[in-house]
Amino acid sequence: MFPLSHLICMLLGISFTVWFTLLLVFIIVPAIFGVSFGIRRLYMKSLIKLFEWATLRMERGAKEKNQHLYKPYSNGIIAKEPVSLEQEIQDMRRGGAEPEFDMSDIFYFCRRGVESIVDDEVTKRFTAEELESWNLLTRSNYNFHHISTRLTALWGVGVLIRYGFLLPLRVTLAFTGVGLLVVLTSIVGLFPNGRMKNYLSDKVHLMCYRICVRALTAIITYHDSENKPKNGGICVANHTSPIDVIILASDGCYAMVGQVHGGLMGVIQRAMVKACPHIWFERSEVKDRHLVAKRLSDHVADKSKLPILIFPEGTCINNTSVMMFKKGSFEIGCTVYPVAIKYDPRFGDAFWNSSKFGMVNYLLHMMSSWAIVCSVWYLPPMSRMEGEDAVQFANRVKAAIARKGGLADLLWDGGLKRGKVKEVFKEEQQKLYSKVLVGSSEDGSSS
Amino acid sequence: MGSRASSLLREEDIEEIKKETGFSHSQITRLYSRFHSLDKGENGALSREDFQRIPELAINPLGDRIINAFFPEGEDQANFRGFMRTLAHFRPVEDNEKNKDLTSGEPLNSRTNKLLFAFRLYDLDRDDKISRDELLQVLRMMVGVNISDEQLGSIADRTIQEADTNGDMCISFSEFIKVLEKVDVEQKMSIRFLH
C-alpha cells in the first residue's frame, strides 16, 4: 500500500506542476506582455463550424418529421406602420374643413396599444437576446426541437468540456488575476508619486485585466485604435455587463467611477486606488449631483490623470439597443470619446439580467459558456457644439454609438427595467391629440 | 434557465387555437413566447400589472381600456386562449382567404367584430349603448387636461347628434356601424402579423 500511495502523490505532484507550467507559459506570460498565441481564435473558428453543423442536423431532423423548425424572428412578430398620430387622423377625416372628433379616432390608439402588447421596444431589452440557432447550451434552448441523439451526445461532451475543464481553468485564472491585481497595486502604491509610479500602475493594471480576459476566454477585436481615449477626457460606452470594464481596461488605462462596495469588491477598490486615482463615491454622495459633477470635472481638468470610464445608460441592457444616456457626464464640458461594444451572443451571452441572477450566478454562467466574443469600436472624439445642450449632445453621442455597433437607438430610459414610465409621456400623447382635435382654431396660441 | 415556452403548449391546444382564431402554427408559438415573457409571475396567466409594465402601453391614453378588453367580465386573469382570442380581432381580413379551415360562424377578425371591439372600448358598462357620459370619459382620457369641460361637452353633444337616429341620446351598436360605414375599418384595426 505504501509504495502505491507514494506513487499517487508523485503523479499528482507531476500533473500539478505540468498544469501550472502550461498555464504560466500559455496564458500568464502572454498576458503580461500583451501578446497572443492565437489559440482562442482557433477555438472560436472551430466552434462556429460546430454550430453550423448542429443547425444543419436540426433542419434535417425537422424536414424528416415534416415540421417547421422554430425560427425566432429577430425582426419581430409584427410589421409596424411608422405612421404618426396627426397623419393617421387626417387620413381618416372624411372631407370636412374643421377637424372635429370622430368616433374612429380611437382606432389609432387601439391599434398602437395592441401592437405594443404583441411587440414593444422596451421590455425585450431587459432579457437575453434570442439566438437564431442553438449553440449547444441548455440555457439558450427555449424552443429548439429535433435534437437528434448525435447532437445530444455532442451537447454532453460540451458539458464535460465546459464544466470539467474550462470552468476550473477559468476560475483559477480569475483568482490569479484578481489576486495579482490587489497585491501588485498595493505594492505600486508604496512608490512616491511620479512618472515611475504611473508607468508601473499602467503596466500592472493592464497585465491583471489581460489575465482576467483570458479567465473568461474573451476574444476581443478592437477597431480604430487611433481614437483611443486620452487623458483629460471621458470615455462613454454602452453597458451590457460588468465585464465591459474588463474588456475596455485590458486595452487601455482608465480611471474607474463607481460606488464604494463592501466585501471583495471593496478590497479590490481600495487596492486599485492606491496605485492611481480612481473615483469612488460613498453611497450618500451618489445622490448629490453637484458633488459628483465637481469630482468628475476636477479629475478631467488634471491632464496627468487617466481618462474616466463611464456608462451613461446607468444599467445593463441586453446589447440589442442603446437606451437613454444620462446627461450628467455630458455636462462637464470636456472631450467625449465614445466606444461601442457589441457581443456575439452565439458563444455566450454576456448580458447580466440582475433581476434574475445574482453576481456569483452570473459569473458562473460566464465562465461556463463557450467564450465571450465581442467587437470594440473606438469612435472619433466628440465635443459639445455651440447651441447644443447636454441632452442633445448625449443623444448625438448615443446615435453614433448605436450606428457603429449596429444597435437600435432608443429614447427610452434604462431605468424602466425596474421603475414605471413617467406620466409626462402620456400627457405628451394627450396634448398631441388635443392639438389635432382643436388645432386649427387655436393655432399659435397652444403651446 | 431560459424559458422553455413552447414545450408548455400542447399540439392539441395549438390546433384548437388555430381553428378558433385563424392564426398559423408559427404565429401561435411566437405569440406564446411573447405571452410567456410578459407573464412575470409565471402562473400561466396575465394580470393587469403585467400589461402595465409595457411602457408604450402605459403611455397610451386609452391604455387602461385596451387592457380591459383582454379580461373577461369580472375576471383578473387573462389566460393564453383569451389572449389569442382578443388578438385575433386584429388579424388582417385578407389572411382569411389563405386559411380556410376556420369553424363556421363569423371569424373574429370580421369587420363587424372589429367594430364591436372598438364599441366595447367606449361602452364601459356593457349595456350595448354609448351614453353621453361614457363618450365624455373616453374623450377625457384622450385629451387629458388640454381641453375644457364645456368644449369637450359640446364635442360630445355634436357627435351624439350626428350619430343618433332613434332619438334616445345614446349611440347603439347599429348606429355606431352606420356612422363608420365609410371608414376603412379593416385596415385601421389590423396588425400585420408576420408568418
Side-chain angles (χ1 to χ4, degrees):
Chain A
M1 286 301 279
F2 186 69
L4 187 63
S5 55
H6 192 66
L7 193 65
I8 293 178
C9 281
M10 255 181 61
L11 278 174
L12 276 175
I14 293 178
S15 44
F16 262 123
T17 322
V18 169
W19 173 250
F20 271 115
T21 320
L22 280 175
L23 209 73
L24 204 68
V25 170
F26 281 105
I27 300 181
I28 297 189
V29 169
I32 297 175
F33 293 106
V35 297
S36 175
F37 280 119
I39 302 176
R40 281 173 290 150
R41 288 205 185 267
L42 193 65
Y43 171 61
M44 181 175 94
K45 289 201 178 74
S46 7
L47 278 177
I48 293 181
K49 291 219 169 59
L50 185 67
F51 297 154
E52 281 169 7
W53 179 83
T55 314
L56 280 172
R57 290 221 60 109
M58 280 167 62
E59 280 174 359
R60 205 202 297 181
K63 225 177 271 182
E64 280 169 12
K65 297 206 184 108
N66 218 355
Q67 284 174 2
H68 291 294
L69 192 64
Y70 174 82
K71 273 202 190 300
Y73 277 80
S74 29
N75 37 340
I77 309 176
I78 52 179
K80 291 190 190 168
E81 309 281 333
V83 159
S84 72
L85 171 60
E86 298 99 330
Q87 207 179 327
E88 176 126 344
I89 306 257
Q90 306 298 15
D91 285 349
M92 289 203 287
R93 294 271 183 265
R94 305 178 293 273
E98 274 245 347
E100 281 180 5
F101 175 67
D102 198 288
M103 301 215 73
S104 59
D105 284 354
I106 65 163
F107 289 174
Y108 174 81
F109 292 112
C110 200
R111 193 183 73 242
R112 294 290 257 201
V114 178
E115 273 177 357
S116 66
I117 291 177
V118 175
D119 185 17
D120 78 297
E121 283 302 315
V122 182
T123 55
K124 62 187 181 189
R125 313 288 178 193
F126 301 132
T127 51
E129 186 184 355
E130 274 199 12
L131 293 173
E132 282 295 315
S133 58
W134 195 35
N135 65 347
L136 297 178
L137 294 174
T138 320
R139 63 191 74 137
S140 41
N141 183 6
Y142 9 80
N143 273 320
F144 298 112
H145 298 301
H146 314 294
I147 298 170
S148 60
T149 17
R150 245 191 250 188
L151 263 180
T152 318
L154 204 64
W155 169 79
V157 170
V159 169
L160 276 172
I161 295 180
R162 284 182 297 116
Y163 284 91
F165 172 63
L166 288 176
L167 184 61
L169 171 65
R170 287 171 181 165
V171 170
T172 323
L173 281 172
F175 276 115
T176 316
V178 171
L180 277 177
L181 183 66
V182 172
V183 167
L184 290 176
T185 44
S186 307
I187 294 179
V188 170
L190 297 171
F191 279 72
N193 286 354
R195 291 253 322 263
M196 189 58 176
K197 183 179 187 183
N198 290 345
Y199 177 75
L200 281 177
S201 155
D202 286 354
K203 289 288 168 240
V204 161
H205 274 106
L206 279 174
M207 178 185 104
C208 296
Y209 282 121
R210 286 197 195 116
I211 298 181
C212 289
V213 159
R214 281 158 173 80
L216 294 164
T217 317
I219 304 163
I220 312 167
T221 316
Y222 296 98
H223 302 266
D224 306 328
S225 295
E226 65 270 12
N227 294 324
K228 256 199 249 192
K230 303 190 176 48
N231 286 9
I234 294 189
C235 175
V236 301
N238 57 315
H239 201 26
T240 307
S241 93
I243 291 180
D244 293 341
V245 172
I246 300 179
I247 289 185
L248 289 180
S250 59
D251 191 46
C253 296
Y254 299 95
M256 313 284 170
V257 179
Q259 230 179 54
V260 169
H261 284 97
L264 180 63
M265 269 310 293
V267 172
I268 301 175
Q269 283 178 326
R270 279 191 296 275
M272 279 168 71
V273 87
K274 284 186 195 144
C276 76
H278 297 284
I279 306 176
W280 306 126
F281 288 105
E282 298 292 332
R283 221 203 173 91
S284 49
E285 292 173 323
V286 172
K287 301 272 162 56
D288 187 346
R289 296 244 325 258
H290 289 294
L291 181 66
V292 171
K294 177 124 194 352
R295 276 184 74 176
L296 291 176
S297 333
D298 288 344
H299 184 111
V300 154
D302 185 347
K303 296 292 178 218
S304 69
K305 293 196 179 153
L306 298 165
I308 304 180
L309 180 59
I310 288 189
F311 297 101
E313 280 165 313
T315 185
C316 294
I317 313 290
N318 79 346
N319 208 232
T320 55
S321 68
V322 186
M323 296 188 120
M324 187 182 94
F325 276 4
K326 305 217 180 324
K327 61 179 176 165
S329 5
F330 298 92
E331 284 171 331
I332 298 181
C334 61
T335 329
V336 167
Y337 296 88
V339 175
I341 308 177
K342 178 81 177 102
Y343 290 88
D344 187 337
R346 287 177 297 176
F347 300 92
D349 186 34
F351 169 60
W352 183 27
N353 190 344
S354 45
S355 42
K356 235 179 168 184
F357 308 114
M359 178 60 115
V360 177
N361 221 329
Y362 167 71
L363 284 175
L364 226 64
H365 271 219
M366 284 293 96
M367 294 196 187
S368 60
S369 313
W370 294 113
I372 308 285
V373 177
C374 65
S375 291
V376 174
W377 286 272
Y378 292 105
L379 282 86
M382 291 177 155
S383 314
R384 185 140 60 121
M385 297 198 293
E386 281 295 319
E388 201 182 33
D389 70 3
V391 175
Q392 290 165 328
F393 181 37
N395 284 338
R396 192 159 59 91
V397 173
K398 174 160 68 77
I401 292 182
R403 209 174 14 241
K404 198 66 176 193
L407 307 162
D409 183 6
L410 298 179
L411 291 171
W412 296 98
D413 185 353
L416 290 170
K417 197 195 227 177
R418 300 215 166 79
K420 285 198 149 123
V421 66
K422 296 201 188 106
E423 275 295 308
V424 69
F425 293 111
K426 188 193 267 199
E427 287 158 18
E428 269 173 31
Q429 291 271 301
Q430 290 168 327
K431 210 186 258 185
L432 213 61
Y433 179 66
S434 313
K435 249 199 225 153
V436 173
L437 202 51
V438 295
S440 62
S441 51
E442 285 180 356
D443 242 308
S445 57
S446 51
S447 56
Chain B
M1 289 256 229
S3 55
R4 265 27 104 89
S6 89
S7 52
L8 298 169
L9 191 64
R10 299 168 309 171
E11 277 303 313
E12 312 93 71
D13 292 332
I14 299 182
E15 283 305 311
E16 280 178 34
I17 296 176
K18 208 171 172 183
K19 283 212 190 69
E20 193 182 356
T21 60
F23 282 114
S24 74
H25 193 282
S26 61
Q27 285 170 339
I28 295 174
T29 27
R30 290 213 315 279
L31 285 167
Y32 188 74
S33 262
R34 173 66 175 173
F35 178 84
H36 193 85
S37 70
L38 289 174
D39 178 15
K40 287 284 185 290
E42 302 217 346
N43 55 351
L46 296 176
S47 66
R48 286 195 166 78
E49 288 77 44
D50 288 326
F51 283 100
Q52 273 153 1
R53 223 173 274 124
I54 303 173
E56 285 163 49
L57 189 62
I59 66 167
N60 188 317
L62 294 178
D64 289 331
R65 288 288 169 98
I66 297 171
I67 294 174
N68 243 6
F70 282 85
F71 292 85
E73 197 73 42
E75 286 189 27
D76 281 330
Q77 297 280 313
N79 61 13
F80 185 57
R81 293 291 287 268
F83 183 70
M84 290 304 280
R85 218 174 286 131
T86 316
L87 284 182
H89 285 95
F90 287 84
R91 276 185 64 238
V93 182
E94 311 81 68
D95 276 7
N96 282 347
E97 274 95 69
K98 297 176 195 158
N99 198 342
K100 293 281 190 194
D101 59 358
L102 289 167
T103 45
S104 60
E106 206 163 350
L108 285 165
N109 62 338
S110 68
R111 187 194 163 88
T112 317
N113 277 326
K114 285 183 199 286
L115 283 167
L116 190 59
F117 186 89
F119 186 79
R120 292 229 171 98
L121 285 184
Y122 284 107
D123 181 21
L124 200 58
D125 59 4
R126 300 280 171 101
D127 64 352
D128 290 328
K129 286 202 292 275
I130 303 176
S131 66
R132 185 178 186 271
D133 271 338
E134 286 172 339
L135 186 57
L136 267 176
Q137 268 181 38
V138 173
L139 276 168
R140 184 52 74 194
M141 284 174 89
M142 290 204 281
V143 305
V145 299
N146 298 292
I147 297 185
S148 66
D149 279 336
E150 302 87 57
Q151 208 172 359
L152 217 59
S154 60
I155 292 178
D157 289 327
R158 212 166 33 230
T159 312
I160 295 189
Q161 216 171 21
E162 283 178 9
D164 188 20
T165 50
N166 67 350
D168 61 351
M169 303 306 269
C170 287
I171 305 178
S172 69
F173 186 49
S174 39
E175 288 164 355
F176 187 69
I177 297 181
K178 187 104 192 9
V179 168
L180 295 174
E181 66 187 348
K182 294 213 182 66
V183 176
D184 186 1
V185 178
E186 289 87 337
Q187 202 244 330
K188 298 292 175 206
M189 290 282 277
S190 289
I191 297 178
R192 284 198 357 238
F193 288 93
L194 298 172
H195 291 278

